[in-house]
Each structure stands twice: as C-alpha cells, then as structure tokens.
Amino acid sequence: MIQVFAFYLFAVLMIAAGALTIFARNPVHSVLWLIVAFFNAAGLMVLVGAEFIAMLLVIVYVGAVAVLFLFVVMMLNIDFAELRAGFVSYLPFGVLIALGLLAEILLGLGVWKAGPLQLAQRAAPTPADVPNIKAIGQVLYTDYIFLFEAAGIILLVAMIGAIVLTHRARTGVKAQNIDKQNRRRPQDAVVNVNQPVGQGVEL
Amino acid sequence: MLDTASLILALPELVLTAAGLILLMIAAYAGDTSAKMIGWLGVVALGVAAWALCPAWTQGGDAFGGLYRGDAFGAFAKGLIYLAAAVCILIAPRFFEAGGANGARAIRAEYPILILFACVGMGMMVSAGDMLTLYVGLELNSLAAYVLASFMRQDGRSAEAGLKYFVLGALASGILLYGISLLYGFTGSTSYAGIAAAMADGLSHGETFGLVFVLAGLAFKISAVPFHMWTPDVYEGAPTPVTAFFASAPKVAAMGLTVRVAMEAMGSAASSWQQIVVFVALASILFGAVAAIGQTNIKRLLAYSSINNVGFALIGLAAGTAEGVAAVMSYLAIYVVMTIGSFLCVLQMRDSQGNPVEDIASLAGLSQSRKGLAAAFAIFMFSLAGIPPLMGFWAKFLVFDAAVAAGMTGLAAFGIAMSVVGAFYYLKIIKTVYFDEPAAEYAPAGSRMESALIAVSAALIVLGYLFNPLLDTMSAAAAAALH
C-alpha cells in the first residue's frame, strides 16, 4: 500500500515539477523545479528497485548537471521581450517539431501496448537476488577488472598527451618561493635611512 | 577475475605499465634532462617484458575469465612489437637533438613513456580474447600514437599529422565500435569464443554487417586500401623515429589483432570474410605499388610501401589456413626488420648542417660519399622489392606458397605480378643512389649506435636464411595457438 502511495506521490510531484519547470517565468526557478523533478525521478527509480540509477540521478544530475545549469542561467543576461519577439515567424517550425514529438509518443505507446522487447540472447541476465549496485560492482571491479584498470591507463595517457602537447615553461613569471621568503631576515629587507629634508629618496 | 594464473599470463603488460608509471615519476622530478636515461630504462623494461612472455609462450591459456589470452601467437607478436619499440626509443634522442624542422630542442622525457604505454595497448590488442579487450587495447595504443605523431608541436607538419591521425583514427574507432556492437547484439556475446559459437550456425544479416564493419575498422588500423588515406600524410608529417614506430610496431599489433579476430572469432564464417580480405589485399598491393611511383619524399614513399606490404601479408590471411597464419607471422617478422632498417637509413639523411632532409633527389650519388649507407639502402630496397637472395623474397614466397596451397592461385599470381610493378620504385631509389650525378653531400654518420643498428638489420636481411628453421618453428607454433 505504502508503495502505491509513494509512487503516486513521486509521480504527481514529478509531473507538477516538470510543468513548473516549463511555466516558471524566472529561469532560476525553472532550474530549481528541474532539480525537484530529478529528486522525484530518483524516488521512482528506488521504487522499481534500481537504486543505483537513483543514486546516479541524485549525484550526477542534481549534484552536477543541474547546479551547472543554475550557474549558466545566473550568468546569462536574459531579455524576455527579445526571446518572445520571433514567436509568430517560428510558429510553423515549432508546430512541426511538436507534431513530430507527438507522433513519437504515440508510436511509443503503441509499442508499449504490444508487449516488452524479447531479449532472448542476453549475455548478462539481470541477477535475481543481488542488489544492482553489488551486481554492477561485481561486473566492473571483478569480472572486468583488467579492462577497468586499462581504461584508467588510457585516461592517464590522455592526460600526459594533453600536457605534452600544450604545456610550455613560461618565462618572466613571478612565482612565489615560500622558502626564500621565510629565509629573508629583516636586515636584508629593511634599511634605515636618515633622510635629509628637501631631497628625493634614493633607493 | 583476479587470480595468480591470470596475472602471470598478463605479466608483460603489468611490467610495462609499472615501468611506465615509475618512469613517469622520474620524468616529473628529473625533467627532460633525464630523457636519455629514461629511454634506456624503457628499453630495459621492454626486455623484462619480453622475458615475461615465457609463461604465455610455453603453456598459454585464458586469463581474466577469457578477456585475455596469453598464447604463443600473442607472445610472437609481442616479441616483434617490443623489439621495434626498443629500437624506436633508442634512435629518437639524436633526431630530436638535431632539432627537426626548426630550432634545437632536446628530446622530451615523455617520448619513451608514451611508447611504453602504446606497447601495453598493443600487447592487449594481440592477446585479446574479447571484443572489449580489443577495443580498450586499440584505444590505448591509438591515443599514445596520436600524441607521438604531433610530438614536435612547433612543427606545422607534425601537428597536422597528429590532428589528421586523431580525426581519422576516431572515425575508424567509431566504425569498429559500431561493428562490435552489431556483433554483440546479434550474437549475444563479446567474447571471441561466444561470437564464433553464434556464427557457427550460419551467418545472419546482422552478423554479416557486424563482420564487415569490424573488418573495415581494422583495415583502417593496418592502413589497408580503401582505408589507407591517412597513412602518407601521417607518415610524412610525424617525426622520423615516430614514423619508424608507426610503420613497425602498431602494424604488427593490428595485423596480429586482425588475424586473431578473423581466425578465432569469425573462424566459422571464414568464407564470408575471405572475400573481403582478398579484395583488401589486392587493392592494397595494387594501390601501394602504383601510387608510390610518383613520390618525391622518402617517408611518403615508405608509407605507400607499407600499404603495399600489408596487402602481401593479408594474402596469407586470405588463405585462411594455419600455414597462411604462419606465413603472415613470418612476413611480419621480416617486414619489421626491413622497415626499421629503411627508416634507420632515412634518419642518416642529414644535410651538411645536420638538418634532416627527406627528398629522394638528395640521395643522388650517395654511393660516392657514403658507401656503407648506400649499400644499406640498396639491401633494404632490394629486400622490400623481394629480390631473391634477400629475406624480403622469402617473406613473399611464404605467403604466396600458403595462398597456392589453399587453392588461391589467381590471388598469388596477381600478387607476384604486382610485386614486379612495386619493384620499379624501389629500384628507382637504388638507381638514384648509385647512378645519378652526386647531389650535396650528407653530414657524416656521427652515431655509432645507429650505424650498428643499420649493420645488424642489413645482416639479418642478408643472412636471415640461417635463422629460417627457427623462424619457421616459431611462426608455426604461433599459428598453432589459434583455434
């Protein structure tokens, strides 16, 4: 019972947040509503037993992507009057895209009614009694550990490559040398001068 | 799965990776002044890795749950790869010190390290037992190669070579990956054994598409026609030691990979890929022979020569038999020595200021000023052309023999006819060296190591028949390891 309640709660909130993402006048509010939608999607993923995807949604989408959006939106200087200016001239094109999307949704519904895809020859069937985080860990860090490590080496080579191809030692920069600064004594740096009146300072 | 047996079989890769990481730390702290020492240490690491091939050579077996296969075939190819890589590390410092096109600049410490990591990738390629290992190994090798191609970043041609190689290599990876995903989708497995089992009950349309795309991607990596267009530009633009590397080690790795994929993963669909391989082989031989004729740059000419040679090696694969595979392996061994030798000679081409020159015309009359170098040029060119007393003839003989034994007399006849066409431009170089009016003299040799390496390769090409029993036994063992 509680699952059904939770499902409708998450689902309704998600749709509402999605709608508000589109309708909010302030783009910052839009992004915030998008984050709410992501959270609710994560809740739905937990309900269907895909806790790994739920965590990914929170960590990657909420933690990184949405915050990035937020920064971008805050940095943009959006002029709403200008945004709405070409509405009529772009309308036919917009309707065309909307029709295309509608057709895709109808097609998707039809396919869904026809039953799920039969993946007869799955190499890796979904394990029944293992939580899927453990299953992914098993595949990634045990079965394919060799390739996982090799992929790490690829990234290292990419990093070496980027440095080799772009790094240059710049001349004329004034880098801080803390050791040298600490070794400096007052007598090296400060001079007592008896400055006569009416004459310039000589350094 | 991580177990001791797997780790022992993959020991060469582990040794090279560890060596690469340690040398990287040395490079980070000691700077570019330590580049020469790092190069020598890299050569030592390659030697240790070659020694670590022993378990794979003697017993062999699957490692990491079938992802990796350590066997005699992989060990043979890796031996060649390590040898070529070691030579390319050793010859580099002098070239980079001369400054290449502009400005004196010593070799940078990352050069040997990138070559070591490329060797790790190539080792994974030839030992792959799974499409995923194949792809990861290929990318590791390619990524290091892109950087090496544009290693002289101040030089416009080198940067251009790196960029071209990168863009076209990424395209090839995409094609290959598409083929792999099709094969996975239609066979339900990424392992060679699984794909072979699924293909055994007839080839579905999806599997055919996958096979074609995988072979197209691999043809790109071995620079076989019609996927060769990057080769001349990259070979011309890249620094000469890097070009020598490209023409030898990755070629062996990609050929080994192609042979293993064709024989192991697609062995049950041999009749389907044989027609592709036959076409690619014929086209490469024809194009490599004809397009090289008009070249004036020696590195471009050698690039076309490598396309031509890949075609000949593919004839052995087209035969589809164990003898054919053995012939391919022998061909590669001899080809590596010939190619490294030719590029060592190209490295000797320096004008009186010590700047590298690449014009074939500048070779004119070399026989009068540098008799030894002229003789070496003659030996390598005669060998590449396949003139009988030299080893290049034996390599071609083996692949034609395998093709005839498999009933592909027409293919062999075409290959022989085309090798006559190819002989034209090799002989043209010899004619320039021996019979043309002398051009400006080259700088004296200056490096004992390079002269010694040239002498050793030339001796191997001339006296290689002494080692023929050994070479035959080893290639036969390598071919027998494929099943």
Side-chain angles (χ1 to χ4, degrees):
Chain A
M1 193 58 213
I2 180 75
Q3 294 96 324
V4 177
F5 175 73
F7 171 76
Y8 280 111
L9 179 77
F10 286 136
V12 168
L13 280 178
M14 187 176 160
I15 292 171
L20 284 166
T21 308
I22 303 172
F23 290 122
R25 284 182 166 259
N26 186 331
V28 176
H29 293 175
S30 278
V31 176
L32 292 176
W33 283 119
L34 187 66
I35 292 176
V36 175
F38 282 147
F39 264 113
N40 285 293
L44 286 175
M45 288 297 173
V46 172
L47 282 184
V48 297
E51 67 271 17
F52 183 70
I53 297 183
M55 271 165 39
L56 275 190
L57 268 175
V58 174
I59 296 170
V60 176
Y61 278 91
V62 177
V65 176
V67 172
L68 200 69
F69 273 171
L70 202 58
F71 277 123
V72 172
V73 166
M74 282 175 166
M75 282 179 197
L76 291 178
N77 187 12
I78 298 172
D79 184 355
F80 290 98
E82 198 182 325
L83 270 183
R84 298 216 177 89
F87 184 72
V88 179
S89 55
Y90 292 128
L91 189 62
F93 189 61
V95 169
L96 203 65
I97 290 179
L99 283 178
L101 287 176
L102 183 70
E104 282 188 354
I105 289 172
L106 290 178
L107 180 72
L109 278 177
V111 169
W112 181 68
K113 281 219 180 100
L117 214 56
Q118 289 298 328
L119 296 174
Q121 295 172 309
R122 282 165 83 129
T126 321
D129 50 347
V130 192
N132 55 44
I133 296 180
K134 202 170 167 183
I136 290 172
Q138 184 82 23
V139 171
L140 202 53
Y141 302 122
T142 307
D143 296 349
Y144 290 101
I145 179 68
F146 182 61
L147 301 180
F148 185 76
E149 297 288 341
I153 299 290
I154 294 183
L155 292 180
L156 177 71
V157 169
M159 199 167 80
I160 299 173
I163 295 172
V164 165
L165 295 182
T166 58
H167 177 262
R168 60 201 161 93
R170 289 198 296 169
T171 52
V173 290
K174 295 191 170 161
Q176 190 181 22
N177 186 345
I178 295 176
D179 182 46
K180 200 175 157 195
Q181 287 175 341
N182 286 342
R183 271 189 282 118
R184 207 155 87 131
R185 301 264 67 90
Q187 53 268 28
D188 304 333
V190 184
V191 191
N192 250 335
V193 181
N194 190 4
Q195 181 66 23
V197 182
Q199 290 183 9
V201 183
E202 253 182 58
L203 290 175
Chain B
M1 276 151 279
L2 219 54
D3 51 287
T4 323
S6 300
L7 292 178
I8 288 176
L9 281 177
L11 198 58
E13 274 71 47
L14 298 181
V15 167
L16 288 180
T17 311
L21 293 174
I22 294 169
L23 294 182
L24 194 60
M25 292 311 285
I26 298 180
Y29 284 101
D32 287 344
T33 46
S34 63
K36 260 188 185 168
M37 182 196 63
I38 288 175
W40 279 105
L41 289 176
V43 172
V44 171
L46 285 168
V48 176
W51 169 79
L53 289 170
C54 292
W57 177 266
T58 49
Q59 54 219 27
D62 282 355
F64 304 108
L67 286 177
Y68 180 98
R69 179 166 303 140
D71 57 10
F73 180 82
F76 185 97
K78 277 187 234 181
L80 288 179
I81 291 168
Y82 296 161
L83 181 75
V87 174
C88 294
I89 290 178
L90 289 180
I91 58 178
R94 195 158 165 271
F95 175 83
F96 286 106
E97 269 158 24
N102 49 351
R105 185 170 172 88
I107 183 177
R108 319 237 310 271
E110 288 86 359
Y111 177 86
I113 294 168
L114 282 170
I115 287 199
L116 287 188
F117 282 129
C119 286
V120 175
M122 289 186 278
M124 288 176 67
M125 283 159 72
V126 292
S127 294
D130 192 292
M131 288 290 176
L132 289 173
T133 319
L134 178 165
Y135 181 71
V136 170
L138 194 67
E139 280 304 293
L140 182 50
N141 167 40
S142 305
L143 211 55
Y146 304 147
V147 180
L148 285 172
S150 46
F151 208 73
M152 293 200 313
R153 56 185 188 184
Q154 272 96 4
D155 182 30
R157 286 192 312 160
S158 178
E160 181 197 329
L163 195 64
K164 266 189 185 153
Y165 198 14
F166 176 68
V167 172
L168 292 175
L171 179 72
S173 291
I175 294 174
L176 179 68
L177 212 49
Y178 186 54
I180 291 175
S181 68
L182 279 174
L183 281 182
Y184 176 50
F186 283 93
T187 63
S189 171
T190 54
S191 76
Y192 289 1
I195 292 172
M199 281 185 171
D201 55 357
L203 207 59
S204 71
H205 282 301
E207 285 164 354
T208 314
F209 269 92
L211 182 151
V212 170
F213 274 100
V214 166
L215 283 181
L218 293 180
F220 214 105
K221 295 293 174 188
I222 55 175
S223 67
V225 177
F227 301 100
H228 62 281
M229 58 299 234
W230 58 275
T231 320
D233 289 341
V234 171
Y235 278 32
E236 186 193 353
T240 310
V242 176
T243 312
F245 179 67
F246 286 170
S248 52
K251 240 350 120 54
V252 175
M255 275 304 290
L257 178 71
T258 312
V259 169
R260 196 193 279 275
V261 168
M263 298 300 285
E264 281 195 350
M266 304 169 176
S268 41
S271 58
S272 300
W273 56 255
Q274 262 172 332
Q275 42 185 325
I276 301 177
V277 172
V278 166
F279 167 75
V280 169
L282 290 181
S284 304
I285 293 173
L286 179 64
F287 185 82
V290 174
I293 291 174
Q295 301 304 323
T296 54
N297 182 305
I298 184 93
K299 279 160 83 179
R300 274 187 98 82
L301 184 124
L302 285 172
Y304 284 107
S305 151
S306 86
I307 294 173
N308 188 9
N309 274 296
V310 159
F312 284 118
L314 282 174
I315 287 185
L317 176 60
T321 55
E323 295 78 51
V325 174
V328 174
M329 297 321 278
S330 298
Y331 195 102
L332 287 176
I334 297 167
Y335 166 76
V336 162
V337 178
M338 290 190 297
T339 305
I340 294 265
S342 315
F343 276 101
L344 282 165
C345 290
V346 172
L347 273 178
Q348 294 290 320
M349 293 166 58
R350 297 163 176 283
D351 62 17
S352 47
Q353 274 90 46
N355 292 321
V357 284
E358 293 165 4
D359 264 353
I360 294 176
S362 73
L363 281 168
L366 187 67
S367 60
Q368 294 175 23
S369 52
R370 297 270 302 271
K371 286 200 170 54
L373 184 59
F377 254 115
I379 287 172
F380 293 127
M381 292 303 139
F382 273 132
S383 180
L384 280 168
I387 306 289
L390 302 166
M391 279 307 271
F393 165 72
W394 181 242
K396 287 197 170 74
F397 175 76
L398 283 175
V399 290
F400 292 145
D401 189 38
V404 170
M408 297 179 156
T409 321
L411 180 63
F414 180 84
I416 293 169
M418 277 303 130
S419 69
V420 176
V421 176
F424 170 73
Y425 61 85
Y426 295 123
L427 293 180
K428 207 174 80 178
I429 294 186
I430 298 173
K431 174 228 163 209
T432 313
V433 168
Y434 275 92
F435 302 115
D436 278 8
E437 283 301 308
E441 276 191 21
Y442 285 152
S447 161
R448 267 196 214 132
M449 189 175 64
E450 276 176 23
S451 312
L453 282 171
I454 292 178
V456 169
S457 345
L460 278 176
I461 291 300
V462 177
L463 306 172
Y465 287 95
L466 298 176
F467 305 106
N468 258 355
L470 182 68
L471 184 65
D472 287 350
T473 328
M474 288 174 81
S475 346
L482 293 184
H483 47 77

